[in-house]
Amino acid sequence: MSQDFRNIAPKTRTIKSFPVPQIQESSIAEGQRHFISHTESLGVVKIQLWFPHGISEQPASFVGSTAYELLTSGGNGKTEKEIIDYIDHLGANVQLDCELYGATATVRCSKDSAIKVMKWIYETIISCEYPEREFENYKLIKRASIERKMQTPQYWSGRMATENYYGKDHLLGKHGTLESVDQLSRAEVIAFHTKHIHPGKSMLLVAGDCDEQLAKDLLSIHQSYFQERFDLKIGDANIDSNRQFSDILKHELPNSTQVSLQLIKHIGNLPENDLHKFTLLNMVLGGYFGSRLMQEIREEKGLTYGIGSYFRPAMDGRTWIISGEMNSENGQLALDCVVEIMNQLRSQPVESEELEKAKRYYSGQFRSGFDGPFSAASKIQQKIMRNNSDTFFETTLEHIWNITPEQILLVAQNYLDPNSFIKSMAGKVK
Amino acid sequence: MVHQQDSSVSNVVLNTLYNVGARDEDSERTGFAHLFEHLMFGGSLNVPSFDAAIENAGGQNNAFTTNEITNYYISVPLENVETAFWLESDRMMALNINSKSLSVQQGVVIEEFKQRCFNAPFGKLWHHIRELLYTESPYRWPTIGKEISHVENATLSNVQSFYNQFYIPQNAIVSIVGDLSLEETKSLCEKWFEPIKKDGHLNANQYTVDVPQLERRFLEANDLSPNPAVFLVWKGPSYSEAGSLELDIFADLLGGSEVSDLQQVLVKEKQICNAAECFYLRGLNEGLFILYGILNDDVSHEMVENELLETMKNFISRGNENQHVFEGIKNKAYTNLLFDQINPMNRAQKLAYFENLGNLEGINSEAELVKNLNLNDILSTAKNTFLSSNMSVIYYSPIQ
């Protein structure tokens, strides 16, 4: 049989719109909003309590994250072992994550055990006393984990870049150190808990096999704890993004065989339309495998296993980060390549074929990001966190497809000046 | 070909498992299966750029290599599913192997080697474990390779013969999960895969076997790590054999949570470790049970080795007193299995893995097997596995 049909690539269709999965929104006392995404999902649910207070409100490093991470450490006569044994017995998993603004308690369990698990979790959160022994153990474990990170070049390139860009006392430049672990005080952690952590201040997000009855029961429990309406207050980074940096920060790790490279800058709050242009510019720069950084530095020159660029949410905006690891001999060469790619993007419009590929890739990923029962809930959380409009998801692809190479050029000229990024190298720096 | 229709997702996953891994390498050319995985993205006879074609279709792809298999996956929007079949079948039929692609990927893999093994704490752990456990078997090196020079010295002819031997339809399993009917899937497979005819045969998976271990083995390693550590390793049954699931659950019982015995005794009560955990790595040939502790200051390796063993012994000797904890771990394992199945990528990979085991139906009985486990069987498997004659010990110390 002839194989000629292989010479021609199958026709591909572009995804320019799709029905965004609908999320059921409910409200209880004082108009507090809660979200439920119901899909058939093998009898399991993911329940999230989203708290509005995070690292930004801690008085000293690690106080907030410790207060959340130790929520199951014991209290009201129950030991940590008793608390976790019961959660295990119900076949549930609990994960506690604290971020700059807000924190999340994520519970994964069977639909049948959801009510029992959540009642237990609510009481555990309220009655947490941070027993001395668990607290001291946590400090030892935290210390060891930081020591492990400190042996990697990535830790130092990231830390130097943010400390020097934002300043060591700035919320975005401050780094928890071994000394901050040693100084961590149980009294401060308890005070943080008393002031900020209560299920009655949290927002409820449920996804999975949550039928009407379960939704009603979960909302009813949540209502019974209500204290105050969820209110996310995001501060202003107050950073001049046009500052210029000429030097390269360096940190030597004698045992390293590589160098870790980072370039960062702050991008303040952007209108949604500009945000989409930024997203595309970042994709072309280093946001996916087909980007210029990956293609030219990894696939063309073989200098690195991975290099890329991404945004990390940071206060009112985001930190734009370009990072990669390479042989110590090639650190400067890779940096030169990065700068050259940035300058190319600022001097000439992206070829329409290249931009089209980025749009097609983005569209496919954007839609598949809603696949599966738990994705929609994550999307909702992102939307609220980033303060996006109600129609953000519905209009995203339309915005993306309307962006022209000239608009990308303009965004690059305004924001991609290599001198406006701070640059750091750590490892075996040559 | 294995297929599962799922109308709840917008993407289709096309997963291809090749029955080849690091165990199929020549001992002087290790890291080759993994290097080859990178070369598979370099384009093929009719596809100048593999990644660009996927990206234009709005999809994504990646791969991983283990000692036993190499697994490739593509996830594309349903409307562009044919692109995935075109790409995967074309590189199976005629990969474009050339010196430029080889030399670039050698550079990439060498940087990956350094990043994973030299610049991360405990990065060379698997080199040490495998060297200690095996003397003759090809399991004695990790997937990344024994040493960088093996990757550096790979030639075009090595690469071509590896491809010819292992990248043939007879040695591949394709699994598809997404909103495609069986008829549509069959028709796509018949169009794109069926015409590929290559000489060769299914990998026989015959390997040199080590003489049985009869006494405790010991190694002192000096490497990048902030603290000293002790690793204890035992060989156990393979994925399909009796006892494998039991040891997997035993690892959860002994060290799978914040309040399991390892954490409670070594980290919290005695405070001799800042981490103490265990896990069972279920392999196709055999399994490895790893029990370890990372030491706090002023604690000796010997003390931690003894405490790790004592904690395990005490747990086993408590017998049925562990029933309550066991029920919890079992319930949790069951819920985790359900959560795993939600992700179509996981399902596609698992379907191919079970088919490779020769037990596709096993995927449907996994949850039942967990539910039907009983504590006595688990403890008795543990007693029979954790013999001092079957134990290998590594004392890890930080380089100065």
Side-chain angles (χ1 to χ4, degrees):
Chain A
M1 182 181 153
S2 163
Q3 296 285 296
D4 289 349
F5 62 91
R6 291 183 183 276
N7 298 335
I8 304 157
K11 283 209 170 96
T12 52
R13 283 171 52 192
T14 53
I15 295 154
K16 296 199 170 174
S17 67
F18 67 100
V20 174
Q22 291 307 299
I23 309 285
Q24 186 190 336
E25 185 176 335
S26 313
S27 55
I28 55 168
E30 292 186 30
Q32 169 70 67
R33 297 192 301 166
H34 301 288
F35 299 93
I36 296 177
S37 156
H38 177 217
T39 42
E40 296 296 328
S41 50
L42 299 163
V44 289
V45 283
K46 181 169 102 172
I47 304 169
Q48 290 182 300
L49 296 178
W50 186 16
F51 300 87
H53 307 286
I55 291 167
S56 65
E57 288 167 78
Q58 65 188 12
S61 292
F62 297 125
V63 171
S65 54
T66 306
Y68 283 104
E69 284 168 21
L70 280 181
L71 276 175
T72 53
S73 62
N76 198 20
K78 291 191 194 79
T79 63
E80 181 183 44
K81 185 159 173 55
E82 286 165 338
I83 291 169
I84 295 178
D85 271 351
Y86 187 71
I87 294 170
D88 281 351
H89 202 71
L90 294 170
N93 279 295
V94 181
Q95 190 186 325
L96 299 155
D97 299 299
C98 180
E99 293 178 8
L100 197 57
Y101 294 103
T104 316
T106 305
V107 179
R108 290 178 180 81
C109 62
S110 72
K111 175 187 176 181
D112 297 338
S113 65
I115 294 296
K116 275 187 183 170
V117 175
M118 290 316 289
K119 282 183 175 168
W120 186 255
I121 295 287
Y122 280 70
E123 284 307 308
T124 297
I125 291 174
I126 288 169
S127 60
C128 183
E129 291 167 3
Y130 302 95
E132 184 81 39
R133 194 187 73 160
E134 274 66 28
F135 179 75
E136 289 304 323
N137 267 313
Y138 175 86
K139 280 172 71 170
L140 280 176
I141 295 167
K142 188 87 194 169
R143 204 171 201 290
S145 126
I146 294 175
E147 282 178 330
R148 279 196 284 279
K149 278 189 203 163
M150 284 170 66
Q151 290 197 321
T152 63
Q154 295 93 324
Y155 171 84
W156 286 106
S157 61
R159 178 171 162 177
M160 276 194 307
T162 47
E163 273 183 356
N164 285 281
Y165 186 86
Y166 289 106
K168 285 182 183 174
D169 294 325
H170 191 282
L171 194 52
L172 298 172
K174 200 185 280 182
H175 278 260
T177 59
L178 294 174
E179 293 70 34
S180 17
V181 176
D182 295 341
Q183 287 160 12
L184 186 60
S185 118
R186 182 170 163 252
E188 281 188 324
V189 170
I190 291 173
F192 187 93
H193 177 264
T194 308
K195 189 171 175 192
H196 297 302
I197 308 179
H198 190 283
K201 295 175 181 175
S202 70
M203 193 185 279
L204 182 70
L205 293 98
V206 188
D209 204 348
C210 177
D211 57 25
E212 208 178 319
Q213 186 58 48
L214 180 57
K216 215 169 131 186
D217 293 345
L218 285 169
L219 282 169
S220 159
I221 298 174
H222 202 75
Q223 164 101 20
S224 69
Y225 285 91
F226 182 80
Q227 275 201 340
E228 62 186 48
R229 193 186 152 113
F230 179 96
D231 184 16
L232 195 64
K233 291 189 184 106
I234 294 181
D236 189 340
N238 205 14
I239 288 289
D240 171 13
S241 298
N242 293 319
R243 283 176 302 157
Q244 300 282 293
F245 301 91
S246 51
D247 294 340
I248 301 169
L249 307 165
K250 292 182 177 170
H251 182 88
E252 187 74 23
L253 286 175
N255 291 325
S256 183
T257 56
Q258 282 187 313
V259 63
S260 169
L261 173 67
Q262 278 222 10
L263 291 85
I264 73 159
K265 80 177 281 187
H266 188 80
I267 304 291
N269 198 11
L270 296 165
E272 271 176 18
N273 199 21
D274 281 355
L275 184 62
H276 297 307
K277 290 173 198 157
F278 247 98
T279 302
L280 270 188
L281 170 62
N282 178 61
M283 287 195 60
V284 173
L285 172 67
Y288 73 127
F289 198 84
S291 67
R292 292 192 183 183
L293 290 176
M294 274 301 261
Q295 288 303 309
E296 292 181 28
I297 300 179
R298 174 179 145 142
E299 291 301 292
E300 197 47 44
K301 299 190 168 76
L303 295 182
T304 177
Y305 171 52
I307 187 160
S309 63
Y310 58 98
F311 295 125
R312 183 167 62 205
M315 304 188 80
D316 58 326
R318 54 206 49 75
T319 308
W320 200 356
I321 301 170
I322 299 170
S323 71
E325 285 73 43
M326 58 280 313
N327 189 331
S328 44
E329 307 284 338
N330 294 328
Q332 187 59 48
L333 177 59
L335 176 59
D336 293 344
C337 291
V338 172
V339 169
E340 194 185 325
I341 289 168
M342 292 164 92
N343 283 329
Q344 280 166 2
L345 284 166
R346 299 178 76 229
S347 60
Q348 46 196 303
V350 179
E351 293 287 330
S352 53
E353 195 184 329
E354 187 182 8
L355 188 60
E356 166 102 5
K357 187 178 74 167
K359 287 178 180 177
R360 282 166 164 260
Y361 177 76
Y362 182 82
S363 305
Q365 298 310 302
F366 183 73
R367 188 180 71 176
S368 70
F370 288 89
D371 270 1
F374 304 128
S375 314
S378 310
K379 291 276 180 194
I380 281 291
Q381 196 173 1
Q382 275 174 27
K383 192 162 94 168
I384 300 169
M385 183 76 201
R386 295 171 193 172
N387 207 16
N388 298 135
S389 66
D390 286 347
T391 56
F392 180 74
F393 294 138
E394 284 77 3
T395 56
T396 291
L397 290 188
E398 192 189 330
H399 283 306
I400 288 284
W401 280 99
N402 285 334
I403 292 169
T404 65
E406 290 70 29
Q407 289 172 323
I408 294 290
L409 177 66
L410 197 60
V411 175
Q413 284 168 346
N414 287 338
Y415 295 97
L416 197 55
D417 175 6
N419 292 326
S420 66
F421 283 73
I422 204 164
K423 301 160 196 76
S424 69
M425 281 187 189
K428 195 153 198 167
V429 184
K430 297 223 166 172
Chain B
M1 184 275 282
V2 193
H3 159 264
Q4 188 198 36
Q5 185 162 5
D6 179 351
S7 55
S8 73
V9 289
S10 65
N11 268 28
V12 176
V13 179
L14 174 66
N15 187 84
T16 309
L17 181 153
Y18 287 94
N19 182 347
V20 59
R23 64 179 173 172
D24 296 294
E25 295 162 348
D26 183 306
S27 61
E28 295 308 308
R29 287 200 294 271
T30 65
F32 213 81
H34 172 245
L35 171 65
F36 199 85
E37 174 210 310
H38 280 248
L39 294 170
M40 282 286 276
F41 295 89
S44 51
L45 181 63
N46 300 295
V47 181
S49 168
F50 186 90
D51 288 295
I54 278 287
E55 286 156 2
N56 267 314
Q60 59 165 321
N61 66 99
N62 212 332
F64 62 86
T65 308
T66 72
N67 282 71
E68 295 162 335
I69 59 163
T70 311
N71 190 84
Y72 300 84
Y73 57 87
I74 299 176
S75 172
V76 276
L78 172 65
E79 44 276 70
N80 295 334
V81 68
E82 193 139 11
T83 300
F85 278 83
W86 175 55
L87 294 172
E88 202 57 84
S89 63
D90 211 60
R91 65 180 173 178
M92 181 187 286
M93 187 184 77
L95 186 68
N96 180 7
I97 298 171
N98 59 68
S99 53
K100 164 91 200 283
S101 158
L102 175 61
S103 87
V104 166
Q105 291 309 321
Q106 281 170 313
V108 171
V109 170
I110 287 167
E111 290 312 307
E112 183 180 356
F113 198 122
K114 290 179 186 166
Q115 197 170 321
R116 289 186 194 280
C117 303
F118 300 142
N119 289 333
F122 304 110
K124 288 205 78 186
L125 177 65
W126 282 103
H127 284 89
H128 299 311
I129 289 180
R130 293 195 175 280
E131 275 163 20
L132 183 61
L133 260 69
Y134 303 102
T135 51
E136 300 297 324
S137 138
Y139 280 89
R140 67 184 187 275
W141 55 84
T143 311
I144 195 81
K146 219 176 342 185
E147 48 195 76
I148 285 182
S149 64
H150 288 188
V151 176
E152 274 169 341
N153 296 336
T155 66
L156 265 184
S157 105
N158 301 150
V159 169
Q160 188 65 57
S161 65
F162 194 85
Y163 179 68
N164 294 345
Q165 185 178 355
F166 296 111
Y167 281 77
I168 54 175
Q170 300 89 311
N171 205 36
I173 295 163
V174 173
S175 58
I176 295 117
V177 173
D179 196 8
L180 274 182
S181 69
L182 180 60
E183 289 66 35
E184 289 168 315
T185 309
K186 271 185 178 170
S187 149
L188 284 164
C189 284
E190 281 163 8
K191 175 177 175 185
W192 293 103
F193 284 106
E194 200 167 89
I196 304 172
K197 306 288 180 203
K198 285 183 164 188
D199 292 337
H201 48 76
L202 174 66
N203 188 352
N205 299 129
Q206 297 295 318
Y207 307 99
T208 310
V209 179
D210 278 0
V211 289
Q213 183 176 340
L214 297 172
E215 57 185 17
R216 177 183 188 269
R217 291 183 185 169
F218 177 74
L219 175 80
E220 275 188 283
N222 287 287
D223 261 319
L224 190 67
S225 70
N227 309 95
V230 172
F231 292 87
L232 309 179
V233 189
W234 292 266
K235 291 176 188 170
S238 73
Y239 199 104
S240 306
E241 288 174 325
S244 176
L245 179 61
E246 281 80 357
L247 288 175
D248 195 15
I249 297 291
F250 180 80
D252 287 343
L253 279 167
L254 183 67
S257 93
E258 283 294 298
V259 294
S260 54
D261 277 20
L262 283 180
Q263 281 278 323
Q264 286 291 315
V265 177
L266 280 86
V267 179
K268 294 181 177 169
E269 283 166 23
K270 301 194 172 170
Q271 300 197 339
I272 53 174
C273 291
N274 55 64
E277 291 168 12
C278 60
F279 60 93
Y280 189 56
L281 188 70
R282 300 175 74 185
L284 293 174
N285 200 44
E286 64 187 353
L288 296 180
F289 192 97
I290 319 257
L291 168 62
Y292 70 92
I294 301 179
L295 280 55
N296 280 334
D297 293 344
D298 304 323
V299 177
S300 71
H301 287 98
E302 289 78 6
M303 179 198 267
V304 169
E305 180 186 344
N306 288 337
E307 290 290 347
L308 284 167
L309 291 171
E310 195 61 21
T311 305
M312 182 158 74
K313 199 172 126 197
N314 288 341
F315 182 86
I316 294 172
S317 65
R318 283 206 306 272
N320 282 330
E321 286 172 40
N322 295 309
Q323 189 62 35
H324 181 78
V325 179
F326 169 62
E327 291 301 329
I329 292 296
K330 201 161 76 163
N331 290 341
K332 212 165 154 178
Y334 182 75
T335 313
N336 287 344
L337 267 177
L338 298 184
F339 271 95
D340 268 0
Q341 286 179 30
I342 286 168
N343 183 327
M345 193 85 82
N346 286 353
R347 260 180 286 146
Q349 285 177 13
K350 233 171 175 178
L351 283 168
Y353 193 80
F354 272 82
E355 175 65 10
N356 189 46
L357 283 171
N359 178 25
L360 182 59
E361 282 305 312
I363 200 166
N364 294 324
S365 51
E366 243 193 330
E368 276 311 297
L369 284 177
V370 169
K371 270 190 165 173
N372 294 333
L373 280 171
N374 82 66
L375 183 59
N376 287 335
D377 289 347
I378 288 177
L379 296 178
S380 125
T381 306
K383 268 185 206 162
N384 294 332
T385 304
F386 303 122
L387 308 171
S388 55
S389 57
N390 184 27
M391 181 169 79
S392 299
V393 181
I394 298 174
Y395 285 180
Y396 226 97
S397 298
I399 39 175
Q400 297 304 314

